């Protein structure tokens, strides 16, 4: 008996081919998914941002590798943890953390103002003022912060008999002076990024030098310097740890005191590192977001 439909043998072959094809397509899909998670789109130049899932997965993988390496090293040493003394001193550590936050916040505001003054001073038509700002910036940038602390506080501070009651004021001043030099270079580069044609056009329509800065240069320069300026805040927070050499009771100093009382070195300095990460990582992420946003707008 003849029929128009496919024979059982042909039907089995067709089903097998369909099954292999579906399996092959599924396998290729899996490979493409893993390729997107592992390989950077656009190659090594990094012009294309990876997917959010790829960022999260690889960040988590990096953290697991680092945590695993630390854990294995501690296990191999049979380290005995002792958190009780550090836990009892948690209030002292938290106060030190708040002090670091306060000192860094005040120094950021003052160093931003100081950096702007130095940046404008380096472009002044008065040559003595211009070169004074240039020399000051270069000297401060070429000197480590610790050396500035030793020189200004223990050197000149001792000569002029500055009392310990001015310790915090002196610490903020030294930190402000150091950061102002770097911020001034950030601002100067932002100001100089404005085209000369815009400045000439402002003068052509009758704007004074002050008005040119106010209405033409500063509004555009602010957008250019905001991302690196926010990034400089991360450096400022980290640099504030050196104020412990002045016995300012900020986060690092209190951690050192707790360690000397409890002899729990690792248990003390792990919260110290975490405390600084809590302050710096959100600011660092904010800085990168600002860089992407302003790069897109420009």
């Amino acid at each position: 008996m003849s029929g128009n439909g496919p024979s059982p043998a042909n039907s089995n072959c067709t089903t097998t081919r369909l099954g292999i094809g579906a399996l092959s397509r599924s396998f290729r899909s899996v490979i493409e998914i893993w390729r997107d998670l592992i390989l950077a789109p656009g190659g090594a130049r990094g012009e294309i941002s990876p997917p959010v899932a790829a960022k999260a997965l690889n960040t988590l993988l990096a953290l697991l590798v680092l945590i695993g390496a630390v854990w294995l090293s501690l296990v191999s040493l049979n380290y005995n943890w002792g958190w009780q003394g550090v836990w009892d001193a948690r209030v002292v550590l938290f106060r030190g953390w708040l002090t670091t936050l306060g000192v860094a916040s005040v120094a950021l505001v003052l160093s931003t103002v100081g950096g702007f003054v130095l940046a404008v001073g380096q472009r002044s038509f008065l040559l003595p003022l211009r070169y004074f700002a240039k020399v000051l910036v270069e000297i401060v940038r070429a000197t480590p912060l610790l050396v500035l602390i030793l020189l200004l506080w223990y050197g000149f501070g001792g000569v002029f008999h500055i009392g310990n009651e001015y310790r915090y004021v002196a610490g903020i001043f030294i930190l402000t002076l150091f950061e102002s030099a770097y911020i001034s270079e950030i601002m100067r580069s932002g100001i100089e990024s404005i085209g000369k044609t815009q400045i000439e056009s402002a003068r052509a329509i009758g704007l004074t030098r002050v008005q040119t800065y106010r209405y033409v240069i500063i509004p555009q320069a602010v957008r250019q310097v905001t991302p690196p300026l926010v990034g400089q805040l991360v450096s400022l927070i980290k640099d504030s740890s050196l104020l412990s050499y002045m016995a300012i009771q900020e986060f690092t100093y209190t951690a050192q005191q707790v360690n000397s009382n409890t002899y729990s070195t690792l248990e003390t300095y792990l919260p110290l590192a975490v405390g600084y990460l809590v302050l710096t990582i959100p600011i660092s992420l904010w800085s990168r977001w600002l860089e992407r946003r302003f790069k897109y707008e420009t």
Side-chain angles (χ1 to χ4, degrees):
M1 180 177 179
S2 61
N4 293 327
S7 64
N10 292 335
S11 177
N12 291 336
C13 291
T14 302
T15 304
T16 301
R17 286 196 298 269
L18 290 175
I20 294 176
L23 182 62
S24 176
R25 288 193 297 272
S26 177
F27 180 75
R28 285 197 300 270
S29 298
V30 172
I31 294 298
E32 290 175 357
I33 291 174
W34 280 104
R35 182 190 61 191
D36 294 339
L37 292 176
I38 295 176
L39 299 180
R45 290 179 295 178
E47 297 177 352
I48 303 176
S49 179
V52 176
K55 294 179 181 179
L57 177 64
N58 287 279
T59 301
L60 179 61
L61 180 61
L63 290 174
L64 290 177
V65 169
L66 292 174
I67 293 173
V70 173
W71 181 77
L72 288 176
S73 62
L74 294 176
V75 168
S76 63
L77 294 174
N78 294 322
Y79 186 80
N80 294 320
W81 296 94
W83 289 99
Q84 187 59 44
V86 178
W87 175 253
D88 294 339
R90 63 189 182 277
V91 176
V92 177
L93 290 173
F94 183 68
R95 287 176 181 172
W97 185 83
L98 290 178
T99 301
T100 293
L101 181 61
V103 168
S105 300
V106 174
L108 173 67
V109 175
L110 296 179
S111 59
T112 301
V113 176
F116 177 76
V117 171
L118 289 175
V120 174
Q122 292 187 70
R123 295 175 56 85
S124 173
F125 61 90
L126 294 175
L127 291 182
L129 178 59
R130 177 186 300 184
Y131 282 92
F132 174 80
K134 286 180 178 292
V135 170
L136 179 62
V137 168
E138 292 303 323
I139 289 177
V140 173
R141 291 180 66 205
T143 307
L145 178 57
L146 180 58
V147 175
L148 278 179
I149 292 173
L150 297 176
L151 176 64
L152 297 181
W153 176 245
Y154 291 102
F156 289 104
V159 171
F160 291 102
H161 305 288
I162 299 177
N164 290 331
E165 63 271 16
Y166 298 104
R167 190 183 302 274
Y168 283 87
V169 176
I172 292 175
F173 170 77
I174 295 172
L175 188 60
T176 297
L177 176 64
F178 183 77
E179 299 297 333
S180 295
Y182 288 90
I183 291 177
S184 69
E185 290 300 289
I186 295 175
M187 291 187 172
R188 184 178 62 84
S189 64
I191 293 173
E192 293 179 353
S193 67
I194 308 303
K196 293 182 178 179
T197 56
Q198 298 190 47
I199 300 176
E200 293 173 355
S201 299
R203 293 175 179 174
I205 63 176
L207 294 182
T208 64
R209 184 180 180 87
V210 175
Q211 290 174 330
T212 301
Y213 268 93
R214 179 179 178 183
Y215 297 110
V216 179
I217 297 177
I218 293 179
Q220 297 181 73
V222 165
R223 191 174 67 175
Q224 297 290 335
V225 304
T226 296
L229 186 61
V230 173
Q232 186 65 28
L233 175 58
V234 176
S235 298
L236 189 151
I237 293 174
K238 293 186 294 185
D239 292 338
S240 66
S241 63
L242 292 178
L243 297 181
S244 60
Y245 285 90
M246 299 176 61
I248 292 178
Q249 296 183 0
E250 45 79 53
F251 199 25
T252 301
Y253 180 82
T254 55
Q256 292 173 341
Q257 295 299 310
V258 171
N259 177 48
S260 62
N261 293 329
T262 62
Y263 301 102
S264 302
T265 303
L266 188 58
E267 293 86 345
T268 302
Y269 292 145
L270 275 178
L272 177 66
V274 172
Y276 277 107
L277 289 175
V278 169
L279 291 175
T280 57
I281 285 182
I283 299 173
S284 179
L285 295 177
W286 183 32
S287 174
R288 294 188 180 186
W289 178 81
L290 289 173
E291 289 178 358
R292 292 193 300 269
R293 181 174 181 270
F294 289 150
K295 180 179 180 181
Y296 174 78
E297 289 185 353
T298 55

